[in-house]
Amino acid sequence: MSSYKDKKVITIGVISELTGLSERKIRYYEERKLIFPDRTKGGTRKYSFDDVERLIDIADKMEDGMQTFDIRRMEQKKLPKKELRERMLRGQLNAAFNMRK
């Protein structure tokens, strides 16, 4: 059974309010493969409380002068390869099948 912190139920607007980050910046972090939201059939991004913590951590590192490439590389070293691959594939599938025109 997964924790409530893992459930992807929060919209980008709420995430923006919780983190103080703009929606544009959150989408940029997704584009740079630092965060992997789920998508509804309508294309709405859904985040978890774990994602909130992750976004705050990313923003802190960026404020300290780190580049997105460095942050991603650090995270890749922490994650087991299987989990990293699953996150990247999930993000790619979400982007490919839920794009709005």
Side-chain angles (χ1 to χ4, degrees):
M1 184 173 179
S2 65
S3 165
Y4 74 94
K5 290 180 79 176
D6 299 329
K7 293 184 181 180
K8 305 252 183 185
V9 296
I10 309 167
T11 62
I12 194 168
V14 174
I15 291 293
S16 178
E17 288 183 49
L18 289 171
T19 62
L21 298 169
S22 69
E23 291 182 20
R24 184 171 187 255
K25 187 163 281 198
I26 296 166
R27 286 190 292 272
Y28 173 74
Y29 292 154
E30 177 186 358
E31 187 179 295
R32 301 299 297 165
K33 300 189 183 342
L34 295 173
I35 192 87
F36 303 93
D38 284 349
R39 299 263 187 148
T40 65
K41 288 182 182 181
T44 302
R45 290 169 174 86
K46 294 291 188 164
Y47 299 87
S48 68
F49 285 103
D50 279 337
D51 292 331
V52 171
E53 292 173 2
R54 172 117 179 84
L55 284 164
I56 291 169
D57 184 53
I58 291 166
D60 288 343
K61 287 175 180 170
M62 295 286 291
E63 207 170 279
D64 290 342
M66 290 186 75
Q67 301 295 315
T68 57
F69 173 81
D70 297 320
I71 296 168
R72 188 172 56 249
R73 191 172 52 192
M74 283 176 55
E75 288 301 313
Q76 289 173 348
K77 289 180 181 179
K78 288 183 197 176
L79 289 175
K81 287 201 184 274
K82 183 180 179 184
E83 184 177 341
L84 174 64
R85 186 170 190 270
E86 287 174 5
R87 280 188 182 188
M88 291 179 77
L89 287 172
R90 185 177 346 124
Q92 290 170 352
L93 287 171
N94 282 333
F97 291 105
N98 294 311
M99 289 181 65
R100 286 189 247 170
K101 294 187 178 189

